[in-house]
Amino acid sequence: MRRAERLFQIVQVIGASQWTTAQALAERLQVSERTIYRDVDHLSASGVPLYSQAGKGYALLEGYQLPPLMFSVEEWQALLTGLSMAQGWAGQRQAEALRAVQEKLAMAVPSHLRALASPVSAPALPERRMLGALLDPLQRAIRERSKVRVHYRDVQEQFSKRVIWPLGLYFWGHCWTLVGWCELRKAFRHFRVDRIVILQTLSDRYPHLPGHTLADYEAAMDARCTDPQSTVEEKTPS
């Protein structure tokens, strides 16, 4: 948890109860009591009206609230719609993170917005849950620059094994595709995530090489769109 998020949580937790001890805060936020003491000092120096009492802990000046986030009704419902749709198509870990984001936002907006529900729902269907089991490890592999080995089934029902440097995930409204550098073809390739039969994250990390990055891929795609004679080697599985 980043410090800014932890500071926000400390104010929320203290404000939700009459008294809160440093020990209780440390246990809830999974940090040391020393860290809590430093954070409380930082909040006090920043003007948050916290006070303490021996044997009781910390309290927040009655009536103090964090400044609310100001959205119009349309903006708030658009945000809820986006979060709902993203949760329905995301991996499990990311969906949980999105729910946490929604809860934090709801705590920081005025009550008349908090009472509004999203006009759009995107429930996680069984096939999307299965897809989510692939999205979480792929996102982690992208973040950690880990190579992955995939057993892939293409549109002709042909199977292949590839070692890929995963660079990015793209959502097309009906499917996700993985973009990566394919060691077999020595070129950028697209892979539909729902056609990955087996996914294995390898211990090898791929290097940051010019011509092999996501920025290079996107630049090549831009060139291909503007120049029909461009010879970018890539293949989009259908």
Side-chain angles (χ1 to χ4, degrees):
M1 180 185 296
R2 295 180 179 179
R3 191 185 190 198
E5 181 180 356
R6 191 173 65 246
L7 293 173
F8 178 82
Q9 290 284 348
I10 288 173
V11 175
Q12 293 296 319
V13 172
I14 294 176
S17 57
Q18 190 171 5
W19 291 98
T20 307
T21 65
Q23 180 182 358
L25 287 167
E27 290 175 355
R28 176 159 180 170
L29 300 177
Q30 298 183 342
V31 295
S32 67
E33 289 186 41
R34 185 183 296 274
T35 297
I36 295 297
Y37 295 142
R38 287 198 298 264
D39 286 347
V40 169
D41 287 343
H42 178 82
L43 288 167
S44 296
S46 300
V48 178
L50 292 168
Y51 58 96
S52 62
Q53 185 171 329
K56 288 188 174 182
Y58 299 106
L60 194 61
L61 183 66
E62 186 175 355
Y64 176 81
Q65 292 182 336
L66 289 174
L69 294 174
M70 299 307 297
F71 296 107
S72 68
V73 171
E74 291 78 11
E75 290 170 342
W76 178 242
Q77 290 198 319
L79 183 58
L80 292 178
T81 296
L83 287 169
S84 176
M85 294 180 68
Q87 288 176 48
W89 282 95
Q92 181 179 350
R93 290 179 63 86
Q94 191 172 57
E96 291 171 355
L98 287 165
R99 281 191 290 272
V101 168
Q102 185 169 335
E103 290 171 359
K104 291 175 183 177
L105 286 171
M107 294 171 65
V109 299
S111 57
H112 74 280
L113 291 180
R114 197 177 307 134
L116 296 176
S118 170
V120 174
S121 178
L125 301 176
E127 58 269 25
R128 295 183 193 168
R129 294 193 186 98
M130 294 175 62
L131 187 64
L134 294 171
L135 291 174
D136 283 336
L138 283 173
Q139 288 174 332
R140 181 173 181 177
I142 292 168
R143 184 170 62 250
E144 297 180 353
R145 304 180 64 83
S146 298
K147 296 182 182 182
V148 296
R149 178 180 289 114
V150 301
H151 294 217
Y152 190 74
R153 172 179 54 84
D154 66 18
V155 69
Q156 284 83 31
E157 298 295 324
Q158 299 296 313
F159 288 83
S160 63
K161 297 180 183 179
R162 312 283 185 95
V163 173
I164 303 166
W165 303 5
L167 301 174
L169 288 161
Y170 289 78
F171 181 59
W172 300 97
H174 66 286
C175 70
W176 286 90
T177 56
L178 168 69
V179 172
W181 181 265
C182 177
E183 290 190 350
L184 177 65
R185 302 302 183 192
K186 301 188 184 306
F188 292 116
R189 286 291 187 267
H190 286 169
F191 300 89
R192 274 187 55 155
V193 175
D194 57 350
R195 293 205 174 115
I196 295 176
V197 181
I198 299 175
L199 172 69
Q200 179 186 5
T201 302
L202 305 179
S203 58
D204 295 342
R205 303 294 175 90
Y206 59 86
H208 185 84
L209 294 179
H212 294 65
T213 68
L214 185 62
D216 293 321
Y217 164 79
E218 291 180 340
M221 291 300 99
D222 288 342
R224 183 180 182 183
C225 291
T226 57
D227 180 7
Q229 303 302 316
S230 175
T231 57
V232 177
E233 186 179 0
E234 66 89 31
K235 185 177 181 181
T236 305
S238 56

